[in-house]
Every structure is written in C-alpha cells, then in structure tokens.
Amino acid sequence: MKYLDGMGALVGQVSPTAAGQLYAEARQSLAGGVTAGLRWHPYLGRPFYATRAEGPYLYDLEGKRYLDFNMANGAVLLGHGHPAVNRAVQLGLAAGILTASETEHHVSLATTLCRVIPCAERVRFAVTGTEANLVAVRLARHVTGRRKLLTFAGHFHGLAEPFLFRAAEGTGSDVPVPASGGVPDTYGQDLVIVPWNDPDAFDRALARHRGEVAAVICEPVHYNAGCIPPLPGFLAHLRQRTQEEGIVLIFDEVLSGFRMALGGAQEFYGVTPDLCTLAKALASGLPLAAICGRADLMEHLSPAGPVAHSGTYTGQLLGVLAARATLEALESPGVYVELGRRAARFYDEAQSIFDRAGIPARIQGLGARFGLYFGRREPVVTWAEAVASDEALHRRFVLGCLKRGLYFHAYLGLPGHAGFSLAHDDDCLDHALNVIETVARELARQ
Ligand SMILES: Cc1ncc(COP(=O)(O)O)c(C=O)c1O
C-alpha cells in the first residue's frame, strides 16, 4: 500500500485499518515498530501516523483532522508549516542545503540571539537539545576543573549517558541509578539529583559536595513534568548559591525557550544563568539547537579554547534560516501579550470545565505549554506529585479527545506535556474547550 506520494499526503485514500497495517509492516523493519521510543503512543498501542500537518492541525492516514495539542513535542510554536518558515527553507534548498561552511545567516542569527536571550553574549549552534546540553556541561567542567553535575528529579536533558539517571530512592544511597539499559553506573558517581523547588535540599546537596560541583542544570520551568513553574524565589536562590560556590548555572531552555517570553524563562523570571541551551521552538521543527552564554565561558570552545565542539551538521543551513524566520515572527509586536491572553483563558476555562463536571483534574500551564494531572485539584509542585497522577483517568480522557479530533500525545510512564501554538486562535481553543467539556462529562457519567 502506498501512503505518501511525491507531492505529500494521500489523504483519504487508504483503508480504515491503515494505521494497524502500517504498524504491522513497521515492526518488520523498525526496531519495536517505531523510529523513536517515545513516539509509541501508549494509549493507542501503536504510534500515531500523520500524513501532514498545517497550522494547528494534524491529519491521520484516513484524512481525519485533529487539533494538535502536541505540536511536535513543543518544537513548533508558530504553527505547522508557517509560510515564513517554508519560504526560509526554500532559500536554503536553493543555496545547496548543506555546504558545511559559515554564512552571513549564521552570524545574523547569533546576533539576534545575543540581543534577545539575556545570558547570551556568545552563541554556538548544535543539532539537538541533547548535544547542546552535553557541550554546556563539558564547558562547565573545563572552566571549573570539577566533575560533578547537579540536576533535579525528573528534569529531562536528553537521552545521553550523563543524563540517563534517576534518584536512588529507598536504597539508602544518594548515588543515582541508571534509567536505561547500557548506561554504566559509574556515570552516576558524577551526578547529584535533588528535588525541584526545595531550596533546603539543594543547599544540603551543595554542602555535601562542596568544591566538587561543576554545573547545576535545570529546566527553569519543569515542562517535562507537565508544567511545574519554579516557586517564587527558587531560581534566584539557585543563581545566588551557584555564584557563591563558583558553579556554572545552566538553564536548559530547550522546552521553555520562547514559550512565554521571547527571552524564555530567564527573561520571564528575571534570573540570568551563565549558560543556556535552546532547541525545539527555535527553528520551528528544523533540527537546530544553540548554546548561549557568558563570553568568558563560551570563548573556551574550540578553536579559541580547548573544549571540543564541532560537527558535520552543526548549524545546518535550513535550520538556521528557519530560526531566523521564526525569531522575526516572534518579534512582531504583541505576540507574547496575545499568547499569554490565549493561554490564561484556555487554562482557566479548562479548569472550570473539569471542576463543573466533578472530575478531579488540574491543568497547569505557562505560556503555550501545559500539564494535565488527573486525580487531584491542588497545584503540582514536585516531580513525585506529577508522576502520581491518575493514569487510568488520563488515558480515558486522551482517548475520548482523540475520538473527537483533539490530539494529545502520551509518554509511556511519564507525566508528559501538551501545548498549543500561535496558530491556535480563539476559535480553535473554543472548539477544544467544547470537546474537553464533552469528554469530561462523559468521564463523569462513567
Ligand atoms: C528540556 C529538554 N532538554 C533537552 C531535550 C533533548 O532535546 P533533543 O530531543 O533535541 O535532543 C529535551 C527534549 O525533549 C527537553 O525537553
């Protein structure tokens, strides 16, 4: 069976069982039937197959349209296939796609980032958020001459060895344990994991590891737990204590970047880290990441300094051009006021719907991304609370929404996160609220 033609999607020309057939076929060649582990949708029991996406919408193999509340795991903030981004990519195609040379566009994008991202005095590009975080940590280890990395429970920095650990709860040890097969536990000896939003636990960990910690890395808004903002003063506390201890503070803004303010969480909360990493929304779906930070730190990167960083696809042109177009669109006057207005209305109304229907659920969002927690109404402030969410209720909610054309992704065993884009106008959000109300009432009846 043919699913795609050269021009795009064969929407509406495949059988109703197309997804099941394609998944069966996929399992013959793709390991586990998927390209990436988290693409497997635990509630569908298979991946979601899309034929195309446009603005706020996704289309499946049968041509059914979904209002997308995943938006490529947060990589698309302007809306799918934004015309300015498409035009930028066309320019890159005409310029030869990849020459592995520097261009004026790289300089222009770096200049813009230095203007809009508070900590950015110098910039380097990378391909993925994971790679950017690895480079930031390498840099911090070099400049401090220390090895240890302090992270926060549940914060996600990519699927690479230094980050693939979880706190060793209940083992009587504070050495983290691997969260994946194939990861040597020796990496855990360089890692300290403390709870988010707990300044006393943070201070105790710094005291225990005084003089050993090279970097503190965090998601300044813990979106990989849905959405757990920092408690008032928590980021400032991290800033002050790391400065006192000569530790490099890294904000992983791969998800929070551009989400609630052009300068990301660091602008929104007024706390400037030493380094930050960006990816996802930066290039509207093209693979591009950035490491930004203080010039005196960044100038240790090769060739000026001894810290290795390079790569065939580093700063690939299509991503750089897409990022320039993205930033230009995000810099239009009023964008973040409008985004904030839509977000506040959507979260308030969705919460009222759950409350009126008598469904124990909490929606917690900041900017264009949010978490849905079932089984509770109180604010979620810790990772432990986020993972304790009622998965059975979440599953019924997500399946009810999918049936009615709202797409929510789900992440196996994780709280996950959802979000919308600037292409989700008031009409889209009203439609989503109507569907959420129908599903909430149905859950209440059951
Ligand atoms: C906060 C955060 N950091 C890092 C990463 C890894 O980025 P990538 O998937 O581009 O490697 C992610 C991906 O979801 C993320 O959410």
Side-chain angles (χ1 to χ4, degrees):
M1 183 176 289
K2 199 170 160 221
Y3 293 96
L4 296 171
D5 67 11
M7 301 300 289
L10 280 176
V11 175
Q13 294 181 28
V14 287
S15 80
T17 57
Q21 285 177 28
L22 187 54
Y23 185 43
E25 195 181 321
R27 277 178 292 167
Q28 303 307 309
S29 53
L30 285 166
V34 284
T35 303
L38 292 174
R39 298 249 172 96
W40 192 76
H41 197 304
Y43 304 158
L44 291 174
R46 58 166 173 79
F48 176 85
Y49 290 104
T51 49
R52 69 186 180 95
E54 191 179 354
Y57 298 112
L58 265 183
Y59 295 83
D60 73 7
L61 296 175
E62 279 89 37
K64 177 173 166 179
R65 192 175 81 166
Y66 296 78
L67 193 52
D68 188 1
F69 278 94
N70 183 37
M71 296 311 291
N73 300 327
V76 179
L77 180 58
L78 296 180
H80 294 294
H82 188 278
V85 174
N86 288 355
R87 280 194 301 275
V89 170
Q90 293 293 340
L91 272 182
L93 297 180
I97 303 181
L98 184 73
T99 57
S101 330
E102 299 283 302
T103 69
E104 63 186 289
H105 309 297
H106 292 75
V107 180
S108 157
L109 177 59
T111 305
T112 303
L113 288 173
C114 286
R115 177 165 53 76
V116 303
I117 303 294
C119 80
E121 293 173 358
R122 296 286 186 278
V123 173
R124 268 294 170 87
F125 297 113
V127 181
T128 65
T130 306
E131 183 199 352
N133 284 329
L134 288 171
V135 173
V137 170
R138 190 179 305 145
L139 197 50
R141 284 182 166 148
H142 170 73
V143 296
T144 59
R146 303 173 185 169
R147 292 174 67 116
K148 287 197 174 164
L149 178 64
L150 189 146
T151 68
F152 295 89
H155 285 221
F156 182 65
H157 303 298
L159 296 180
E161 273 58 11
F163 311 126
L164 272 169
F165 282 84
R166 61 167 175 270
E169 277 147 20
T171 63
S173 159
D174 68 351
V175 178
V177 293
S180 159
V183 174
D185 55 8
T186 44
Y187 279 96
Q189 291 161 12
D190 288 334
L191 205 56
V192 181
I193 302 183
V194 300
W196 180 236
N197 273 335
D198 186 340
D200 294 337
F202 177 73
D203 288 349
R204 283 195 300 275
L206 282 198
R208 245 189 344 269
H209 300 280
R210 176 148 291 134
E212 299 174 336
V213 179
V216 167
I217 185 169
C218 69
E219 291 184 60
V221 176
H222 191 186
Y223 281 119
N224 275 287
C227 175
I228 305 183
L231 288 177
F234 187 63
L235 291 181
H237 183 73
L238 299 186
R239 179 61 291 184
Q240 187 192 332
R241 295 293 294 116
T242 48
Q243 236 150 18
E244 287 164 0
E245 300 287 337
I247 296 168
V248 176
L249 179 62
I250 305 170
F251 279 2
D252 174 348
E253 296 234 42
V254 166
L255 251 181
S256 58
F258 313 105
R259 201 69 54 187
M260 76 304 282
L262 188 60
Q266 53 194 287
E267 176 190 324
F268 189 78
Y269 289 105
V271 175
T272 306
D274 299 302
L275 300 174
C276 83
T277 53
L278 304 167
K280 298 221 189 233
L282 171 63
S284 293
L286 275 291
L288 186 78
I291 307 119
C292 307
R294 277 169 38 197
D296 62 319
L297 304 182
M298 295 288 291
E299 293 294 350
H300 287 274
L301 289 170
S302 70
V307 181
H309 169 246
S310 197
T312 306
Y313 301 103
T314 301
Q316 44 79 30
L317 184 61
L318 298 188
V320 168
L321 289 166
R324 284 194 57 192
T326 303
L327 291 182
E328 209 176 302
L330 292 177
E331 284 203 87
S332 309
V335 165
Y336 284 94
V337 174
E338 177 59 15
L339 187 68
R341 184 193 67 77
R342 284 186 215 170
R345 184 176 81 86
F346 180 67
Y347 303 145
D348 281 357
E349 293 190 14
Q351 187 62 59
S352 308
I353 287 169
F354 288 127
D355 293 347
R356 277 201 306 273
I359 296 292
R362 166 133 188 123
I363 181 163
Q364 206 163 278
L366 177 65
R369 217 134 184 102
F370 58 94
L372 273 171
Y373 307 97
F374 286 88
R376 65 180 294 133
R377 288 201 177 85
E378 314 74 48
V380 175
V381 292
T382 68
W383 172 246
E385 289 167 351
V387 293
S389 179
D390 181 339
E391 198 179 341
L393 200 51
H394 185 232
R395 177 194 182 90
R396 282 159 57 207
F397 174 78
V398 167
L399 289 175
C401 288
L402 284 172
K403 197 164 85 183
R404 294 172 177 84
L406 287 198
Y407 183 75
F408 284 97
H409 197 60
Y411 302 78
L412 188 63
L414 294 168
H417 46 91
F420 63 93
S421 74
L422 285 158
H424 291 64
D425 60 14
D426 281 327
D427 287 347
C428 290
L429 294 175
D430 282 340
H431 173 69
L433 289 165
N434 284 334
V435 172
I436 289 171
E437 177 134 44
T438 305
V439 175
R441 285 197 186 142
E442 186 178 82
L443 294 183
R445 275 198 303 278
Q446 290 165 3

